[in-house]
């Protein structure tokens, strides 16, 4: 069981790769700040609700209207200040990136249309960065968990965003794109930008990304797993390798996570990766400890649902029941929490309690035939963990009750 089946990297397949280290931001970009005040705090809350609404209303144009693309691209270019922005190749690259950027809200919207949740969680004021961040959670049972931490910018008294820290990549979006932009530069334009000229593995990376884009995950993984140079130790590329591996099988996915964690054992930015690693290793206690770390960092009580699911997998049903109960009570529109509570009662052989809970669900407006189908149907693997309950006298009596 794992919670991260794919990484949300916003059309990464349109870029190709080499290697470069991130630089300090320039002084101009350090002006990308917002002062702390009650007025600005209120504006941040309104911004968060606005972005969430644009996603749920399928309004990508309104979403992207809040991006200050001028500062966003300045932050990308700050990764390598030596890049000649007047160069025709660079200009063309930035035009292509701008087009891709305008479409990336559609990826979030599409995930939500397919059943994902995208919610504004909280805000914080970062003293070091001297600006606000607005935190959003993306979750689905298919693609797993990710967080987007929007860096806030203020332009003519309007709250916008100039960047986004992506939890699964462990860095700001502009850092990722800035490095990827350098990866794509022709060799003759790399003079002065890299400590050494790109090697043959840079071309291999491009091939891996294109294989991944085309759905040939095995070829992409073989290339990524065969890297021998310093590229093999790039955190972002190790995470990208885990993305590819997750599309193939659990063995390769686990190996890719081990490569990442062994290379960055104390890195606090790979908590989501560590959670999956411990789950795949059936190290459930360790997984919950890492979830607690993530919950301390995000202050997101929805992570109680993830802890409940891990405890359920560990057959620690008392703990699972408490966390599922919390989720069901605090997220009433999230059926997975209610289903988890019901499933746990059944696993504890508390059939009378399960029947009473079914009555509560009906009272809350759930459709009885839909609940019956949920209890009796097999899952995608042809299994039904509720089969014994579905054949019990308690359930049959409840099913007949009008």
């Amino acid at each position: 069981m794992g919670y991260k089946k794919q990484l949300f990297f916003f059309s990464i397949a349109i870029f190709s790769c080499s290697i470069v280290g991130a630089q300090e931001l320039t002084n101009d970009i350090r002006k990308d700040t917002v002062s702390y005040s009650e007025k600005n705090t209120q504006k941040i809350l309104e911004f968060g609700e606005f972005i969430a609404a644009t996603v749920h209303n399928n309004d990508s144009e309104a979403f992207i209207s809040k991006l200050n693309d001028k500062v966003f691209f300045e932050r990308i270019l700050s990764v390598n200040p030596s890049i000649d922005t007047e160069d025709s190749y660079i200009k063309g690259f930035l035009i292509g990136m701008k087009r891709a950027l305008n479409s990336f809200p559609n990826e979030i919207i599409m995930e939500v249309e397919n059943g994902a949740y995208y919610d504004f969680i909280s805000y914080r004021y970062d003293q070091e960065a001297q600006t606000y961040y607005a935190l959003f959670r993306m979750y689905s049972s298919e693609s797993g968990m990710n967080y987007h931490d929007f860096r806030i910018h203020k332009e003519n008294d309007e709250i916008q965003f100039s960047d986004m820290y992506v939890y699964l990549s462990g860095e700001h979006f502009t850092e990722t794109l800035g490095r990827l932009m350098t990866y794509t530069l022709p060799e003759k334009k790399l003079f002065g930008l890299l400590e050494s000229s790109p090697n043959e593995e840079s071309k291999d990376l491009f091939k891996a990304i294109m294989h991944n884009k085309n759905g040939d995950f095995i070829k992409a993984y073989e290339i990524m797993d065969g890297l021998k140079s310093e590229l093999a130790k790039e955190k972002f590329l190790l995470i990208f390798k885990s993305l590819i591996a997750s599309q193939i099988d659990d063995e390769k996915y686990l190996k890719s996570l081990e490569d990442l964690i062994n290379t960055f054992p104390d890195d606090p930015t790979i908590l989501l990766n560590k959670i999956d690693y411990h789950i795949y290793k059936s190290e459930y206690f360790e997984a919950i400890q890492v979830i607690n770390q993530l919950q301390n960092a995000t202050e997101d009580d929805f992570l109680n649902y993830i802890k409940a699911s891990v405890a359920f997998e560990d057959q620690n049903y008392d703990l699972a029941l408490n966390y599922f109960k919390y989720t069901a009570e605090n997220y009433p529109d999230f059926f997975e929490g209610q289903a988890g509570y019901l499933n746990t009662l059944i696993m504890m052989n508390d059939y009378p309690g399960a029947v009473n809970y079914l009555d509560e669900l009906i009272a809350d407006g759930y459709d009885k035939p839909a609940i019956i189908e949920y209890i009796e149907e097999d899952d995608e693997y042809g299994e039904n963990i509720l089969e014994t309950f579905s054949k019990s006298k308690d359930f049959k009596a409840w099913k007949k009750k009008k």
Side-chain angles (χ1 to χ4, degrees):
M1 181 184 77
Y3 289 100
K4 179 171 58 58
K5 296 300 184 184
Q6 59 184 1
L7 306 186
F8 202 69
F9 279 160
F10 302 121
S11 302
I12 186 176
I14 66 173
F15 301 106
S16 57
C17 303
S18 180
I19 183 167
V20 64
Q23 306 288 329
E24 287 294 321
L25 296 179
T26 64
N27 289 332
D28 287 341
I29 306 305
R30 290 192 183 278
K31 297 176 183 177
D32 179 25
T33 61
V34 178
S35 62
Y36 182 83
S37 70
E38 289 186 10
K39 179 181 178 181
N40 284 337
T41 296
Q42 181 58 39
K43 286 180 175 288
I44 302 308
L45 294 172
E46 293 170 358
F47 166 86
E49 297 300 330
F50 177 86
I51 291 294
T54 64
V55 171
H56 294 287
N57 294 332
N58 196 12
D59 192 348
S60 61
E61 290 186 9
F63 184 111
I64 208 67
S65 72
K66 289 298 183 180
L67 171 66
N68 189 307
D69 52 9
K70 179 178 182 295
V71 178
F72 182 84
F73 281 105
E74 287 175 352
R75 291 180 64 83
I76 292 175
L77 293 171
S78 73
V79 173
N80 265 302
S82 301
I83 287 178
D84 181 8
T85 57
E86 296 302 314
D87 180 86
S88 59
Y89 179 89
I90 299 299
K91 285 184 175 180
F93 185 96
L94 292 176
I95 290 172
M97 188 180 290
K98 170 68 174 173
R99 290 172 181 166
L101 186 63
N102 286 338
S103 66
F104 91 81
N106 290 322
E107 297 191 24
I108 301 176
I109 291 170
M110 184 172 61
E111 289 281 334
V112 171
E113 289 179 341
N114 290 331
Y117 297 85
Y118 196 74
D119 298 299
F120 174 48
I121 302 303
S122 62
Y123 74 91
R124 63 185 171 87
Y125 191 80
D126 190 310
Q127 291 290 347
E128 182 178 354
Q130 291 293 293
T131 193
Y132 288 86
Y133 277 80
L135 183 65
F136 289 75
R137 179 209 319 117
M138 170 169 277
Y139 173 79
S140 84
S141 58
E142 295 297 324
S143 57
M145 177 82 77
N146 199 357
Y147 292 94
H148 303 152
D149 212 9
F150 288 68
R151 182 186 175 106
I152 300 301
H153 182 84
K154 196 173 183 180
E155 186 86 12
N156 298 325
D157 207 38
E158 179 188 356
I159 294 297
Q160 303 171 330
F161 71 98
S162 62
D163 209 342
M164 177 194 299
Y165 185 90
V166 181
Y167 271 56
L168 277 175
S169 67
E171 62 184 13
H172 282 82
F173 195 19
T174 55
E175 291 180 86
T176 302
L177 295 181
R179 185 163 58 254
L180 291 175
M181 181 182 68
T182 306
Y183 292 171
T184 66
L185 291 176
E187 185 172 352
K188 65 180 180 179
K189 297 186 183 296
L190 286 170
F191 181 76
L193 297 181
L194 303 178
E195 294 181 1
S196 60
S197 60
N199 53 43
E200 285 300 314
E201 288 195 338
S202 302
K203 299 176 182 178
D204 291 337
L205 278 172
F206 176 80
K207 293 178 183 177
I209 289 177
M210 296 312 296
H211 284 314
N212 179 70
K213 178 183 177 182
N214 295 328
D216 196 341
F217 304 118
I218 294 178
K219 286 185 179 179
Y221 177 83
E222 289 174 349
I223 292 173
M224 298 295 296
D225 195 47
L227 297 179
K228 303 298 182 184
S229 71
E230 63 269 31
L231 286 175
K233 298 180 180 180
E234 276 274 312
K235 180 173 67 173
F236 175 78
L237 295 178
L238 285 171
I239 293 174
F240 179 53
K241 184 173 77 170
S242 74
L243 157 68
I244 299 169
S246 70
Q247 306 295 325
I248 303 174
D249 58 49
D250 289 352
E251 181 180 353
K252 288 182 174 58
Y253 184 46
L254 182 59
K255 180 182 181 300
S256 71
L257 291 175
E258 288 177 340
D259 291 343
L260 172 64
I261 293 170
N262 289 337
T263 306
F264 300 94
D266 301 316
D267 193 324
T269 68
I270 61 171
L271 292 178
L272 285 170
N273 310 87
K274 285 185 175 180
I275 292 169
D276 242 27
Y277 173 76
H278 289 306
I279 290 173
Y280 272 86
K281 294 276 287 185
S282 298
E283 297 170 349
Y284 301 116
F285 175 81
E286 291 81 356
I288 288 181
Q289 296 307 304
V290 180
I291 296 170
N292 285 335
Q293 294 179 46
L294 183 61
Q295 192 164 19
N296 289 335
T298 62
E299 299 183 354
D300 183 12
D301 66 347
F302 180 80
L303 287 167
N304 287 325
Y305 168 72
I306 307 301
K307 286 189 279 189
S309 300
V310 174
F312 185 90
E313 188 77 6
D314 193 27
Q315 299 183 19
N316 187 346
Y317 295 128
D318 288 329
L319 182 63
L321 193 69
N322 288 333
Y323 281 130
F324 278 132
K325 182 179 180 181
Y326 179 92
T327 304
E329 291 176 347
N330 290 273
Y331 294 86
D333 296 329
F334 182 65
F335 179 69
E336 285 89 339
Q338 296 160 328
Y341 185 77
L342 173 65
N343 294 352
T344 306
L345 287 172
I346 293 171
M347 291 299 103
M348 298 173 76
N349 295 317
D350 185 1
Y351 290 179
V355 167
N356 289 336
Y357 191 62
L358 291 177
D359 286 333
E360 290 182 30
L361 293 177
I362 297 299
D364 288 338
Y366 282 95
D367 181 58
K368 186 170 183 177
I371 292 177
I372 292 172
E373 181 180 359
Y374 169 76
I375 292 171
E376 294 182 337
E377 70 178 354
D378 292 342
D379 62 19
E380 59 184 309
Y381 304 105
E383 300 175 353
N384 182 6
I385 64 171
L386 308 181
E387 183 177 6
T388 302
F389 174 67
S390 71
K391 296 178 180 180
S392 69
K393 294 180 180 179
D394 299 86
F395 176 71
K396 289 179 178 179
W398 176 85
K399 184 177 176 181
K400 293 178 181 178
K401 187 170 59 176
K402 295 183 180 180

